Amino acid sequence: MKFIKWFEEVGTRDVALVGGKNASLGEMIQNLTEKGVNVPSGFAITAEAYRYVIEKAGIREKIRDTLADLDTHDMKNLSERGSKIREMIKSAECPKELEEEIRLAYRQMEKRYGEGVDVAVRSSATAEDLPTASFAGQQETYLNVSGEEELVERVMECFASLFTDRAISYRVDKGFAHLSVYLSVGVQKMVRSDLACAGVMFSIDTESGFRDAVYITGAYGLGENVVQGTVNPDQFYVFKPTLKEGFRPIVEKKLGTKRKKLVYKEKGGGTKQKKVEKEEQKRFVLTDDEVLTLARWACLIEDHYGTPMDIEWAKDGRTNELFVVQARPETVHSQRDLAVIETYVLEENRDLLREEGALLVEGEAVGTKIGYGEVNIIESSGEIHKFRPGQVLVTDMTDPDWEPIMKVASAIVTNRGGRTCHAAIISRELGIPCVIGTVKGTKALKGVKEVTVDCSEGVGRIYKGKLKYRIGKLTLDNLPRPRTRIMMNAGVPENAFVQGQIPNDGVGLAREEFIINSYIGIHPLALIEYEDLKERAEADKKIARVIKEIDERSASYDDKVEFFIDNLARGIGKIAAGFFPNEVIVRLSDFKTNEYANLIGGYLYEPEESNPMIGWRGASRYYDDKFKPAFGLECKAIRKVREEMGLTNVKVMVPFCRTPEEGREVIKAMEEFGLKQGENGLEVYVMCEIPSNVILADEFADVFDGFSIGSNDLTQLTLGLDRDSDLVSHIFDERNEAVKRLVKHVIAVAHEHEPRRKVGICGQAPSDFPEFAAFLVECGIDSMSLNPDAIMSTRLNVAEVEKRIEAKKPLRG
């Protein structure tokens, strides 16, 4: 056949013949099927067929004339010319010899899959799916096409879609001549994901450009809802390095709302939207095994192509098989200059802004930038002519028709969509901040004049008015690497992939408290005693409310204990993945009784203390029978991270350990729950934050593998003051001579111990006071762990101090 190529006959060398999409399908079928990657078969109608249609109809020059002196910024002008060209092509007759070949190929598919086989008809342009330009969604796709007549009709409509308004505008922006781009059409066996689920995955993190993670999104029904952003999908992250070693490193699972699904119409071809039952919405669309299978496929596809990939997947509801239905190069982060990191920092207090009511709405952050502009709520594509450059585009969701105004927006806000939807993909490519899935963005911003759109913290936030922010650029070439390890304080898993790319030597303090507060929010003992509480709830309205809240937060879990373990493990795991293979020291939970009481159900288990700061906290809880079962959940979560996910770079740190005997009790309790010091390289550190830790440093060094100085608590307890009290806060200063002597002493004792023990510091003092950092270097401290925004300045300062110390040393010989 002259105009038809089966996918098995083509590969990446054939882009000029069958376009990027079809060439990629053929490439995968030929090279990855034997490695286990399932790709539905089909055929390509070649770009030569498109050229033949245009020549036979005699409309090439008419198309050229229609596009002459086009202004793509004039929406009305663009719409009129695009419509005129599409009508020319659709009204042209399909040449007889081409039509016969299409019918013959379809009949051959019927022999393979059955009479009236359902197919997807997808456009595949010759300037598409390139490493530098995705052309995502520029042309049309038709799903559930059945029968020869409908197929021929849809092929002609696909040819016409080379001149959608958005495709014309995109080609102008990317510098492609309209008549040098041709269209092939792919005819692919449909995967019955309308009976199951589908979605998109990237072999790179779409927000941070972190290359060691696979990011997967999925929703019920056909995948178009995920691609177009019609639903807020489930999200999963899988860590590639340990996945390839045979571990199961799912480091994030986030439940989407998935309120509707795209399914087949009951009669005839085509599709329709259908509501998803509430119970179904509360379940993840994929099992862990399926998530891991897709992630392995993403790795295989990336390895074959040698570049990060953007992949569409689908699950067949009849056979329960998974398939890859498209794969293209990722076009944003793969082109980024890795020698420069751009950072956006909001210079205003977020907590204060929230208290003052300036925070209007939140959603998923796309990218890490901050933008500002006048609000313009656009309800439909028919209103896009009302949009002005520099405004913030606020809408329910975008589709490719909106791209001419998206490229001139200062930021984008949508009600719906996940991070692989159209709005997210295009805003990344354009390099503008975008907040998706706000649910009520159009309502919340109605009547608001100007907003600041903040994506710099891993969560998308829209604030009222113009806020101050700064943009910094870090050039990574020729950065000094000091002897003292410069580590980072971390606690927000969402930021780990971004922060891990800032030059660092690991995490000196990963706090569990943020993960427990944000990811779980329930007192661990309430989860352990869930069944007992359910019985008590019948007679106690307060407990009934606790059960209701637990059920809402852990809806996808029957076993409530597993809900705690899994969520804590994934939070820790994401931080560990972001900084792998550098060590990540995880501090066990250090809530005070009043803070634990604030968790759901916490009031049932926590005593009231007059001074929680020096009460039942840290080590004293872990071996106490009243709390020990809850501590066991923390241990099981860390064990899961190290053993199931393969992230053995995780170390453990014990906070507020008053005596060496307490330390031994904690080590013993950890072992009871499967965390054995020294096993599989597990090191256990102690926080040095109580004067007793310094005075008995030699004895603590017998119990623990190292110390981490908590300068805030050590200063507070040395000077005997409450650092939160305004009355005495002026005395609080880590540079006080008493504190410095303690710091110097513990470093000396730890280094003299046999074996030598490491000492770090995880307080804010070294970043706040450069002279304190110099003092620590002079004492020979092994590491400093700082907040991310202080890493670079402290690194440069420490390198300079080390250079001065080295210069003062007497010459040898």
Side-chain angles (χ1 to χ4, degrees):
M1 291 190 284
K2 182 181 175 185
F3 299 115
I4 302 289
K5 289 284 181 185
W6 291 93
F7 289 155
E8 289 83 354
E9 298 178 277
V10 297
T12 50
R13 66 195 178 282
D14 299 306
V15 172
L17 181 66
V18 296
K21 198 174 292 158
N22 291 335
S24 184
L25 288 169
E27 183 74 15
M28 289 189 290
I29 288 171
Q30 285 189 55
N31 297 283
L32 297 176
T33 302
E34 60 187 25
K35 294 182 179 179
V37 180
N38 293 336
V39 182
S41 190
F43 60 87
I45 300 163
T46 65
E48 188 57 46
Y50 164 80
R51 280 197 291 266
Y52 190 61
V53 167
I54 300 301
E55 284 166 18
K56 271 280 193 178
I59 56 177
R60 183 180 173 85
E61 293 309 312
K62 288 181 185 175
I63 293 172
R64 187 194 302 279
D65 293 343
T66 305
L67 291 172
D69 66 25
L70 170 70
D71 178 6
T72 57
H73 295 285
D74 182 338
M75 302 302 154
K76 190 179 177 190
N77 183 280
L78 173 62
S79 176
E80 287 173 354
R81 298 190 191 207
S83 176
K84 187 177 179 182
I85 296 171
R86 292 194 298 276
E87 203 48 50
M88 279 186 219
I89 298 171
K90 279 194 278 191
S91 58
E93 227 178 284
C94 182
K96 188 179 178 186
E97 48 272 52
L98 171 59
E99 184 178 336
E100 284 176 358
E101 285 195 21
I102 294 170
R103 290 176 182 275
L104 178 60
Y106 181 75
R107 287 197 289 271
Q108 288 179 1
M109 283 193 75
E110 284 185 310
K111 286 178 185 175
R112 192 186 304 186
Y113 297 111
E115 190 177 335
V117 57
D118 49 338
V119 295
V121 181
R122 303 180 189 274
S123 58
S124 179
T126 55
E128 181 179 68
D129 297 349
L130 305 174
T132 54
S134 69
F135 281 79
Q138 300 304 318
Q139 288 83 221
E140 299 295 350
T141 289
Y142 301 95
L143 304 177
N144 188 22
V145 175
S146 181
E148 296 174 28
E149 298 299 330
E150 188 184 2
L151 176 58
V152 173
E153 188 180 322
R154 294 303 188 196
V155 168
M156 292 299 288
E157 287 175 0
C158 257
F159 284 153
S161 75
L162 187 59
F163 292 94
T164 58
D165 300 351
R166 64 209 184 229
I168 295 168
S169 176
Y170 193 89
R171 283 195 294 272
V172 170
D173 290 343
K174 293 292 180 181
F176 287 89
H178 297 293
L179 292 172
S180 65
V181 176
Y182 304 104
L183 195 83
S184 168
V185 176
V187 179
Q188 186 179 33
K189 171 69 181 81
M190 284 287 294
V191 175
R192 289 304 304 268
S193 60
D194 62 308
L195 304 173
C197 56
V200 178
M201 61 180 172
F202 285 79
S203 65
I204 186 172
D205 177 35
T206 54
E207 304 317 309
S208 65
F210 180 68
R211 290 187 173 232
D212 281 340
V214 175
Y215 173 56
I216 301 170
T217 61
Y220 295 113
L222 299 168
E224 293 299 296
N225 274 358
V226 177
V227 174
Q228 293 174 3
T230 309
V231 295
N232 296 341
D234 293 343
Q235 301 177 60
F236 311 87
Y237 276 105
V238 182
F239 184 55
K240 293 193 289 192
T242 57
L243 173 73
K244 291 177 179 180
E245 293 174 6
F247 292 97
R248 299 171 62 84
I250 301 174
V251 296
E252 183 173 308
K253 284 172 71 172
K254 193 171 181 182
L255 200 65
T257 50
K258 311 181 297 289
R259 291 193 178 122
K260 54 184 171 180
K261 57 184 175 180
L262 190 66
V263 299
Y264 280 18
K265 286 181 178 174
E266 284 88 357
K267 291 181 181 178
T271 58
K272 66 172 187 176
Q273 296 287 1
K274 184 179 177 183
K275 280 188 179 179
V276 175
E277 297 298 323
K278 286 204 170 173
E279 282 307 306
E280 209 177 1
Q281 288 176 33
K282 294 174 185 175
R283 294 197 295 269
F284 286 104
V285 297
L286 293 168
T287 65
D288 285 0
D289 285 343
E290 289 170 335
V291 169
L292 293 165
T293 295
L294 288 174
R296 289 187 197 100
W297 287 1
C299 292
L300 287 169
I301 294 168
E302 178 182 71
D303 289 346
H304 177 76
Y305 284 90
T307 188
M309 297 295 287
D310 168 357
I311 303 157
E312 292 181 30
W313 63 269
K315 180 181 176 181
D316 195 300
R318 286 177 171 168
T319 65
N320 287 326
E321 287 180 288
L322 291 168
F323 290 88
V324 165
V325 294
Q326 276 191 50
R328 61 175 73 87
E330 191 273 343
T331 58
V332 179
H333 291 291
S334 56
Q335 304 299 307
R336 197 182 65 171
D337 180 1
L338 298 176
V340 177
I341 294 177
E342 193 174 56
T343 58
Y344 281 68
V345 180
L346 191 69
E347 294 187 313
E348 311 216 15
N349 186 308
R350 286 184 173 85
D351 293 333
L352 190 61
L353 288 168
R354 192 184 288 269
E355 285 172 23
E356 293 174 347
L359 177 61
L360 301 175
V361 71
E362 292 187 349
E364 294 268 353
V366 177
T368 58
K369 294 185 176 182
I370 299 174
Y372 157 80
E374 182 186 359
V375 172
N376 192 338
I377 299 172
I378 301 288
E379 300 284 355
S380 70
S381 57
E383 298 178 353
I384 63 176
H385 63 279
K386 297 177 182 176
F387 193 81
R388 298 289 174 266
Q391 292 181 326
V392 174
L393 172 61
V394 182
T395 186
D396 184 49
M397 57 180 274
T398 68
D399 64 39
D401 287 331
W402 296 60
E403 285 172 32
I405 63 169
M406 292 172 77
K407 67 189 178 189
V408 295
S410 61
I412 296 169
V413 179
T414 73
N415 292 340
R416 294 188 280 162
R419 287 194 287 168
T420 53
C421 75
H422 173 266
I425 289 171
I426 298 304
S427 62
R428 268 184 226 109
E429 197 167 302
L430 295 170
I432 58 174
C434 174
V435 179
I436 51 172
T438 61
V439 180
K440 56 179 183 180
T442 50
K443 190 176 178 183
L445 301 183
K446 195 169 185 179
V448 178
K449 190 178 179 187
E450 297 171 326
V451 292
T452 299
V453 179
D454 177 15
C455 295
S456 66
E457 284 268 294
V459 176
R461 299 185 179 98
I462 295 94
Y463 296 101
K464 189 174 183 178
K466 186 173 185 177
L467 303 182
K468 292 178 185 175
Y469 64 91
R470 70 176 188 270
I471 306 170
K473 283 196 175 181
L474 302 176
T475 304
L476 305 184
D477 295 339
N478 305 316
L479 266 180
R481 186 173 186 122
R483 175 196 57 77
T484 308
R485 291 191 301 152
I486 305 300
M487 305 177 79
M488 199 178 292
N489 295 336
V492 182
E494 286 90 344
N495 295 344
F497 291 170
V498 173
Q499 292 170 351
Q501 294 178 72
I502 298 169
N504 69 85
D505 296 306
V507 174
L509 172 63
R511 303 177 183 90
E512 280 190 8
E513 294 83 42
F514 179 89
I515 301 168
I516 294 170
N517 249 331
S518 300
Y519 283 39
I520 301 164
I522 305 164
H523 197 289
L525 290 173
L527 294 167
I528 290 169
E529 297 180 8
Y530 174 77
E531 294 300 331
D532 179 54
L533 289 178
K534 266 181 87 171
E535 289 180 19
R536 291 166 60 189
E538 292 175 18
D540 189 321
K541 287 183 179 178
K542 204 171 176 185
I543 293 177
R545 282 198 297 273
V546 168
I547 289 296
K548 185 172 182 285
E549 287 184 87
I550 290 174
D551 287 343
E552 284 173 358
R553 280 183 173 252
S554 60
S556 59
Y557 281 83
D558 295 326
D559 186 334
K560 305 305 177 184
V561 166
E562 285 302 311
F563 168 73
F564 185 98
I565 294 169
D566 284 358
N567 279 278
L568 181 55
R570 286 195 288 265
I572 294 169
K574 193 168 183 188
I575 295 171
F579 290 85
F580 189 87
N582 289 332
E583 72 178 8
V584 170
I585 301 173
V586 176
R587 186 179 70 187
L588 298 165
S589 64
D590 193 24
F591 285 121
K592 288 82 178 172
T593 48
N594 58 323
E595 292 167 336
Y596 259 126
N598 286 332
L599 295 174
I600 294 165
Y603 76 95
L604 294 164
Y605 304 100
E606 295 300 323
E608 282 192 27
E609 295 184 290
S610 57
N611 194 345
M613 182 68 80
I614 52 173
W616 193 37
R617 62 178 280 202
S620 60
R621 298 180 75 100
Y622 306 151
Y623 58 89
D624 189 316
D625 288 339
K626 295 190 291 295
F627 189 79
K628 193 174 176 181
F631 177 62
L633 303 192
E634 291 183 46
C635 294
K636 287 175 183 176
I638 291 169
R639 187 178 173 187
K640 182 170 185 154
V641 173
R642 288 174 52 82
E643 295 178 10
E644 188 175 308
M645 299 181 186
L647 292 160
T648 52
N649 58 325
V650 166
K651 313 292 171 68
V652 173
M653 183 152 66
V654 179
F656 226 76
C657 185
R658 294 171 168 97
T659 68
E661 290 74 26
E662 262 205 326
R664 291 188 184 92
E665 287 292 331
V666 173
I667 298 286
K668 184 179 165 189
M670 285 172 55
E671 193 169 336
E672 284 178 42
F673 295 113
L675 271 184
K676 187 174 181 182
Q677 186 180 24
E679 196 171 87
N680 201 15
L682 177 63
E683 292 182 347
V684 184
Y685 290 72
V686 65
M687 287 289 294
C688 179
E689 53 193 341
I690 308 169
S692 64
N693 301 142
V694 180
I695 296 163
L696 298 177
D698 54 337
E699 293 187 36
F700 278 100
D702 289 336
V703 180
F704 295 102
D705 299 297
F707 297 82
S708 182
I709 300 165
S711 58
N712 285 341
D713 269 356
L714 185 61
T715 303
Q716 179 173 234
L717 295 170
T718 300
L719 300 178
L721 57 81
D722 177 0
R723 69 174 188 258
D724 294 329
S725 167
D726 291 338
L727 298 173
V728 292
S729 61
H730 63 282
I731 307 169
F732 184 91
D733 191 338
E734 297 97 325
R735 296 167 296 176
N736 182 282
E737 188 59 32
V739 179
K740 288 173 72 176
R741 286 189 189 185
L742 292 179
V743 168
K744 188 173 184 177
H745 180 73
V746 76
I747 294 171
V749 172
H751 286 174
E752 287 164 9
H753 190 272
E754 196 56 51
R756 183 184 187 274
R757 299 305 191 193
K758 288 179 278 189
V759 185
I761 188 167
C762 56
Q764 190 61 17
S767 54
D768 288 346
F769 310 114
E771 70 273 24
F772 192 74
F775 161 73
L776 292 169
V777 173
E778 287 162 4
C779 291
I781 200 158
D782 296 294
S783 64
M784 298 181 199
S785 191
L786 313 153
N787 289 343
D789 60 354
I791 288 285
M792 299 309 292
S793 59
T794 307
R795 182 177 178 135
L796 294 168
N797 179 37
V798 167
E800 192 58 39
V801 172
E802 289 181 356
K803 195 174 170 184
R804 287 202 306 267
I805 291 171
E806 197 63 35
K808 287 178 185 176
K809 286 182 180 177
L811 294 171
R812 292 175 186 167

